[in-house]
Amino acid sequence: MNDYERAHAMAVRQFGAECAVLLRADGSFPLKKPGELALFGGGARRTVKGGTGSGEVNSRYSVTIEEGLEKAGFTITSKTWLDGYDRICDAARRDFIRSLKQQARAHHTLAILESMGAAMPEPEYHLPLNGKGDTAVYVLSRISGEGSDRKAAPGDVLLTETEKHDILRLNEQYGNFLLVLNVGGVVDLSPVMEVGNILLLSQLGAETGNILADLILGKSFPSGRLATTWSAWADYADLGDFGGRDETRYREGVYVGYRYFDAVGKRALFPFGYGLGYTSFAFSAHHAKADGETVTVSVNIQNTGACRGKETAQLYVSPPQGQIHKPLQTLAAFAKTGTLEPGESEMLTLSFRMRELASYDEHRAAWVLEPGDYVLCLGKNSRDTEPVAILRLDREVITRQCRNALGKPDFSDWKPEQRAEALPDVEILHITADEIPTESVNYDLHHEIDPLVRCLSDEELCLVNIGAFTPGLGPLSVIGDASKTVAGAAGETVNRLKDKGIPALVMADGPAGLRLSRQYTVDEKGAHGLGQALPESMMELLPGVAKWLLNRLTGGGKPKGEIREQNCTAIPIGTAIAQSWNPTLAEACGDLVRDEMERFGVHLWLAPALNLHRDIRCGRNFEYFSEDPLITGKMAAAIVRGVQRHKGCGATVKHFCANNQETNRYYSNSQISERALRELYLKGFEIAVRESDPCALMTSYNLLNGVHTSERRDLLEQVLRAEFGYNGIVMTDWLSASTSARGCKYGSPRADRIAAAGNDLTMPGCSADLKAMLRGLRDGTLTRTQLEINATRIYRMAKGLTEHE
């Protein structure tokens, strides 16, 4: 390995431990030293470092849990079981791929299109649980990915009968037993809750196996906290739609995640914010104060146990129930200690502004703070808190006057029955409405047009508004021409106008690290990746002829010239990063990616992804952070800051917005009330925009209340630019005018309508997009002025990111 790879691997190994969440502990772990260990479960050898699709990172290596434990000095005594499982799993995989191809033929489509991201459920089997030693580890593993959603079925969200049997049997059979969850999303653990030690390891990138070994031996310690509520499948809300082909109605409104569990008085198996450690902590010396509209709570946290550790303080606010129906409580602030040795303590300060507690009133198109008592509750998770103060607001405040936008759903949001709560006997802090400023929004935006852009022809302007493509390329026009500059990069902005002074930007996918070709060659036509052109999870679904053709079209075959390498580091998935509850760690992850962007010549990283965990079945939840918009926005902003420390590197927050399912993702219409949109699904983006100023933002595939997000001018100009103050470029997700909408209620987005909405860049670009824009100029659906505004933003962004080269 190169020096940078070693340094990055060491960093990920340190990051990862802080992302792991200890759910159950009986004191058996950590172990004092390595020895004999019986290892079982699907993730032991087939450890998942991250999800599939855009989340796949072509790292040089990936340490499995078996490898990590053996490197740490453990002797694995269950090799016979592991060998037997491999044979069973290989046969099940062959059957699974065969069934996907048969299904695609029956539907007259390609398996790679119909089954993208489909995960094979864990098979049922019977193998003897033999293995010497007093210690056993069972690694329960799940994988999901872009293009398919998870299912509430055995082997996915639910445990298989085999898993239940083996886990419970091992728990009885071994003195020290640890259930390890190598998963990217929630699994229903209700059948195995008698297990004394459960570790949510998550999917922590290339170093996953080494990280677990460090945790088991106490070389590091878990300090993660859940960023999503974990419970039995039957406990989750079934109020809204999920997985609908054409319409998905978000009837639950603002009651998502812990807000729903609170509303119906249901206690989850593991509530939002929950997590244990190898030690214990005590909270003391609470103090709350209000300085104008800024509220601050300080708390002393002491390590009262016998091991090192970190603790997270979480501050929730219970608002008054006035004319606007509100959740019982909302996360308002959080903070995490540094490493505390036994007996050590640290004073933490948590703060927020009163305006951040406002609710959106659709009738008045305004953010409103209703008068009354706001109860501050401090604790270790959403259910383990105690009141520390009351904020008493004397009268109503409209914190921001807006304009309604974004369309309307065909339903009214669900509202739970209100419950009267007695006020606690704590200090009351009086806040007057005059202390809270009212924000005004200037919707009359001024857009500059650069003189260089004014000199471009109509066709040249259109090309600036479209990703780089090669005319007449054929099949690759559908997925976009891969970057000619950096092998394996997702695409580029226009590269035909460099003589006009417009530089090209290179974009790389991968929210868990850069996704590039590991090996490549360079000739007069550019860089050519060696090996598979598509992620492994997609390649196995292609017919043999299609694999050969794709290999030829992407420069495959016998390599010519010197073979070069660009090895990228797989970092923890987004959900795992959020589980750290540590924005400093998130920023360090972004800085690691930034270093590799500079090394390989990438200008824009197509990450972070910050859609909410609305439903635990969403196939891309592993890429996203949380069910809560505050922690989502804070973590995304931190990653963006890490990436953009260097002026030549930019981040792209995505998918804007309401991309909360993968089923029919190109044509599914998300119906959501304006209040739910603004309070949940847009809030994380607003936090990220205001706190980190990302270079780029990507719209989502789905429609929003009947219109594709990429074509919603009210979403992009009124909300994003005017209200949030966003100044960067906006691009589409990777779509194409060649995509078919057959059998769907809604049609495809169109490049001319996309540009007219103020969406600067249609990606990845193809000849049909150019024709659509030119046609739009002729028929009036698109103006040259709008194209010039879009092109100015792209040109100035490209100039800023490339001027140091």
Side-chain angles (χ1 to χ4, degrees):
M1 286 198 298
N2 298 308
D3 288 343
Y4 81 88
E5 290 181 86
R6 294 188 184 92
H8 290 179
M10 184 179 299
V12 169
R13 195 163 174 172
Q14 293 172 343
F15 297 158
E18 191 161 350
C19 301
V21 184
L22 189 60
L23 298 176
R24 297 290 300 274
D26 64 8
S28 301
F29 295 87
L31 302 178
K32 293 181 179 179
K33 61 181 181 179
E36 291 185 328
L37 185 146
L39 180 63
F40 305 94
R45 280 184 179 169
R46 299 165 185 259
T47 307
V48 180
K49 72 179 190 296
T52 65
S54 67
E56 295 183 57
V57 177
N58 300 317
S59 54
R60 182 192 291 269
Y61 70 94
S62 180
V63 180
T64 69
I65 287 173
E66 180 185 28
E67 292 168 343
L69 292 172
E70 288 183 327
K71 288 179 183 179
F74 286 96
T75 299
I76 306 301
T77 63
S78 53
K79 295 286 188 178
T80 301
W81 189 97
L82 295 172
D83 292 340
Y85 177 83
D86 280 346
R87 291 190 292 270
I88 291 169
C89 200
D90 287 342
R93 184 71 189 175
R94 288 192 294 271
D95 291 341
F96 179 66
I97 296 300
R98 190 180 303 116
S99 69
L100 292 179
K101 291 180 177 180
Q102 290 173 348
Q103 176 181 305
R105 284 195 294 270
H107 294 167
H108 306 288
T109 186
L110 294 175
I112 193 172
L113 297 179
E114 180 159 310
S115 306
M116 178 182 176
M120 183 188 82
E122 182 71 12
E124 300 278 7
Y125 53 86
H126 177 73
L127 292 170
L129 297 172
N130 298 326
K132 296 180 181 179
D134 295 327
T135 301
V137 172
Y138 187 98
V139 186
L140 188 144
S141 189
R142 295 287 189 268
I143 192 168
S144 61
E146 180 180 7
S148 290
D149 288 314
R150 300 178 63 200
K151 295 179 175 62
D156 195 342
V157 171
L158 307 181
L159 300 180
T160 66
E161 292 303 315
T162 301
E163 288 171 332
K164 296 176 194 175
H165 171 273
D166 286 2
I167 291 169
L168 293 176
R169 179 69 180 273
L170 292 170
N171 188 53
E172 296 174 354
Q173 189 172 326
Y174 289 85
N176 303 318
F177 175 63
L178 177 64
L179 172 59
V180 174
L181 308 175
N182 173 220
V183 300
V186 176
V187 177
D188 182 352
L189 298 178
S190 57
V192 295
M193 285 297 287
E194 63 190 73
V195 173
N197 298 284
I198 304 176
L199 177 70
L200 172 55
L201 181 66
S202 194
Q203 296 165 348
L204 302 176
E207 289 288 313
T208 299
N210 287 334
I211 293 168
L212 178 61
D214 290 344
L215 289 167
I216 287 177
L217 289 172
K219 294 181 179 180
S220 60
F221 53 86
S223 65
R225 302 292 180 263
L226 292 178
T228 291
T229 302
W230 275 56
S231 199
W233 164 245
D235 291 342
Y236 291 96
D238 60 357
L239 302 167
D241 302 335
F242 180 82
R245 180 167 176 79
D246 293 316
E247 305 289 350
T248 303
R249 295 174 174 86
Y250 291 49
R251 295 186 185 91
E252 70 279 0
V254 297
Y255 295 94
V256 172
Y258 69 88
R259 292 168 171 82
Y260 169 75
F261 280 80
D262 290 343
V264 297
K266 188 175 293 184
R267 186 170 184 89
L269 295 180
F270 302 107
F272 175 81
Y274 178 85
L276 304 174
Y278 288 154
T279 189
S280 57
F281 295 91
F283 286 34
S284 62
H286 310 145
H287 177 67
K289 68 175 183 178
D291 182 8
E293 73 153 340
T294 300
V295 179
T296 302
V297 174
S298 59
V299 57
N300 184 69
I301 298 182
Q302 184 178 26
N303 183 343
T304 56
C307 298
R308 297 177 302 152
K310 295 183 178 182
E311 180 61 289
T312 299
Q314 303 168 34
L315 183 63
Y316 296 83
V317 177
S318 293
Q321 294 295 341
Q323 293 182 344
I324 303 174
H325 206 290
K326 306 178 191 69
L328 181 66
Q329 62 176 347
T330 300
L331 181 68
F334 60 92
K336 191 170 187 176
T337 68
T339 300
L340 297 179
E341 299 292 336
E344 284 190 333
S345 62
E346 181 178 344
M347 184 68 74
L348 292 181
T349 300
L350 301 83
S351 64
F352 64 91
R353 296 178 301 171
M354 281 295 293
R355 75 184 75 174
E356 294 165 3
L357 303 180
S359 301
Y360 191 77
D361 185 342
E362 294 181 14
H363 299 293
R364 290 185 283 177
W367 288 93
V368 178
L369 277 171
E370 293 192 301
D373 294 324
Y374 294 76
V375 182
L376 304 184
C377 297
L378 182 69
K380 300 180 180 181
N381 59 70
S382 64
R383 281 301 179 98
D384 183 14
T385 63
E386 62 176 272
V388 295
I390 292 173
L391 306 174
R392 182 161 290 170
L393 181 61
D394 61 345
R395 57 186 172 83
E396 180 185 89
V397 181
I398 294 179
T399 62
R400 186 194 302 168
Q401 185 64 56
C402 300
R403 294 176 182 172
N404 282 338
L406 311 176
K408 292 185 177 182
D410 60 10
F411 59 87
S412 296
D413 286 352
W414 175 79
K415 296 178 182 178
E417 181 180 346
Q418 287 190 339
R419 292 177 293 168
E421 299 284 343
L423 287 177
D425 184 16
V426 292
E427 179 184 11
I428 297 176
L429 305 175
H430 293 273
I431 297 179
T432 65
D434 294 336
E435 295 176 301
I436 303 172
T438 299
E439 299 177 35
S440 60
V441 180
N442 178 18
Y443 289 104
D444 186 18
L445 297 175
H446 172 68
H447 297 293
E448 295 184 6
I449 298 175
D450 194 278
L452 182 149
V453 169
R454 289 191 187 278
C455 297
L456 298 176
S457 68
D458 285 354
E459 182 166 333
E460 289 169 339
L461 267 180
C462 292
L463 289 172
V464 176
N465 280 251
I466 302 171
F469 66 93
T470 302
L473 194 59
L476 285 187
S477 294
V478 177
I479 60 172
D481 188 12
S483 169
K484 299 295 184 184
T485 308
V486 178
E492 300 181 6
T493 56
V494 62
N495 50 28
R496 299 188 225 172
L497 300 176
K498 293 180 180 179
D499 60 334
K500 299 278 188 175
I502 299 179
L505 295 178
V506 177
M507 308 174 194
D509 214 338
L514 297 182
R515 184 157 66 84
L516 304 175
S517 298
R518 278 199 60 232
Q519 295 184 321
Y520 67 101
T521 61
V522 179
D523 60 21
E524 66 281 358
K525 295 182 180 179
H528 306 283
L530 300 178
Q532 296 177 344
L534 294 175
E536 183 178 351
S537 60
M538 297 172 64
M539 288 293 291
E540 62 183 343
L541 294 172
L542 282 176
V545 174
K547 290 180 183 178
W548 176 86
L549 177 60
L550 187 60
N551 193 42
R552 299 292 298 177
L553 288 170
T554 54
K558 187 176 180 180
K560 298 177 183 179
E562 177 189 2
I563 297 178
R564 306 178 186 180
E565 289 190 352
Q566 47 187 12
N567 293 296
C568 300
T569 304
I571 64 175
I573 60 173
T575 301
I577 293 174
Q579 287 168 183
S580 74
W581 287 65
N582 186 349
T584 301
L585 181 149
E587 189 166 338
C589 287
D591 188 50
L592 184 155
V593 173
R594 184 271 316 162
D595 180 81
E596 295 183 358
M597 291 172 68
E598 289 185 276
R599 290 179 184 278
F600 304 130
V602 174
H603 304 107
L604 275 178
W605 184 36
L606 303 179
L610 56 149
N611 297 101
L612 290 189
H613 293 177
R614 173 190 176 238
D615 191 294
I616 64 170
R617 291 171 292 178
C618 177
R620 294 184 83 170
N621 273 355
F622 72 94
E623 293 185 31
Y624 309 149
F625 296 108
S626 174
E627 68 187 29
D628 182 80
L630 177 67
I631 194 168
T632 291
K634 293 289 185 181
M635 291 298 172
I639 289 177
V640 172
R641 288 194 298 270
V643 170
Q644 295 184 176
R645 282 180 181 175
H646 190 285
K647 64 186 301 182
C649 298
T652 308
V653 294
K654 64 181 186 183
H655 311 88
F656 194 68
C657 60
N659 187 172
N660 303 111
Q661 74 174 44
E662 291 298 288
T663 304
N664 197 31
R665 59 184 180 155
Y666 297 102
Y667 307 109
S668 175
N669 178 34
S670 296
Q671 292 198 41
I672 317 177
S673 70
E674 183 150 7
R675 182 188 176 194
L677 270 167
R678 289 179 176 273
E679 291 191 23
L680 293 185
Y681 301 101
L682 296 175
K683 179 154 283 189
F685 287 96
E686 181 176 10
I687 293 170
V689 165
R690 291 183 182 275
E691 295 190 3
S692 66
D693 191 24
C695 287
L697 177 143
M698 181 187 291
T699 53
S700 53
Y701 285 130
N702 56 281
L703 297 91
L704 175 61
N705 291 329
V707 179
H708 280 282
T709 59
S710 56
E711 298 179 345
R712 287 212 78 118
R713 188 172 180 85
D714 54 357
L715 177 67
L716 304 182
E717 291 291 302
Q718 180 175 325
V719 175
L720 178 63
R721 296 196 182 278
E723 295 181 20
F724 295 180
Y726 181 65
N727 295 308
I729 68 168
V730 177
M731 71 175 76
T732 69
D733 203 338
W734 260 231
L735 50 84
S736 172
S738 302
T739 305
S740 172
R742 283 190 306 173
C744 297
K745 179 178 178 180
Y746 299 99
S748 301
R750 209 171 67 195
D752 56 326
R753 295 195 298 253
I754 289 168
N759 197 327
D760 307 306
L761 191 57
T762 297
M763 292 299 297
C766 65
S767 299
D769 295 327
L770 175 60
K771 293 177 182 177
M773 282 194 187
L774 290 171
R775 185 171 59 250
L777 284 174
R778 291 194 301 269
D779 64 22
T781 59
L782 175 62
T783 66
R784 180 179 168 92
T785 298
Q786 185 63 57
L787 277 180
E788 290 175 338
I789 292 170
N790 298 351
T792 294
R793 289 193 286 246
I794 296 168
Y795 162 63
R796 291 183 175 175
M797 178 71 67
K799 184 179 178 182
L801 290 175
T802 60
E803 61 186 2
H804 70 289
E805 296 177 349

